[in-house]
Structures are given as C-alpha cells and as structure tokens.
C-alpha cells in the first residue's frame, strides 16, 4: 500500500519509507562533509570558492526538511524516537 502526495502537475508520487529516507539523509550528510572539505581546500590555496560553507549547509538543511515532508509519518515517529534514545 502506498501513500501518495500530489505534485504541481497533479501527478501522484509515493512517499519514502524509513530505509529510503535514511539512505538519502546519510547521503546528504556525506555530501555536506565533502563539500565543506573541498571549500576549505580551495580557500587554503588562496582562491575564492563558488559557494561558501554556509550556503551549502543552508541548502542541505532545506533538502533535509523536504525529505522529512516526503517520508511516511510512522517512519518519522520511529526515527524521532530512535534519535531521542541515542
């Protein structure tokens, strides 16, 4: 059974389950870490990076909020409970 949400063109898309959301969340964390390292490397050699670490962090946080909206509520509750206990 799938739970759907509507897109702007009235197409239905299924929400993500807990495992899918976890993989995407961990992937975003890795992207953020790597981007910050690369930005620092560019700054250390005296060049100006195209994006700042703050900008990348802000964009990743926005994506994480979107990811929460696209995740099944029952899996969000389980995730929040796990985070509280660890």
């Amino acid at each position: 059974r799938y739970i759907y949400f509507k897109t702007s063109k009235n197409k239905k898309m299924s929400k993500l389950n807990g495992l899918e959301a976890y993989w995407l969340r961990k992937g975003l964390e890795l992207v953020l870490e790597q981007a910050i390292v690369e930005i620092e490397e560019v700054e250390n050699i005296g060049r100006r990076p195209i994006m700042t670490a703050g900008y990348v962090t802000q964009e990743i946080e926005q994506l994480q909020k979107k990811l929460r909206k696209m995740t099944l509520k029952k899996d969000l509750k389980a995730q929040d409970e796990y985070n509280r206990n660890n």
Side-chain angles (χ1 to χ4, degrees), residues 19-49:
L19 181 61
E20 294 165 334
Y22 173 79
W23 286 339
L24 291 171
R25 194 171 56 254
K26 287 300 178 183
L28 287 172
E29 290 172 8
L30 292 172
V31 167
L32 178 61
E33 290 173 14
Q34 185 62 36
I36 290 174
V37 167
E38 291 176 7
I39 289 168
E40 289 172 351
E41 288 174 356
V42 169
E43 289 173 342
N44 288 338
I45 61 172
R47 294 189 173 206
R48 284 192 292 176

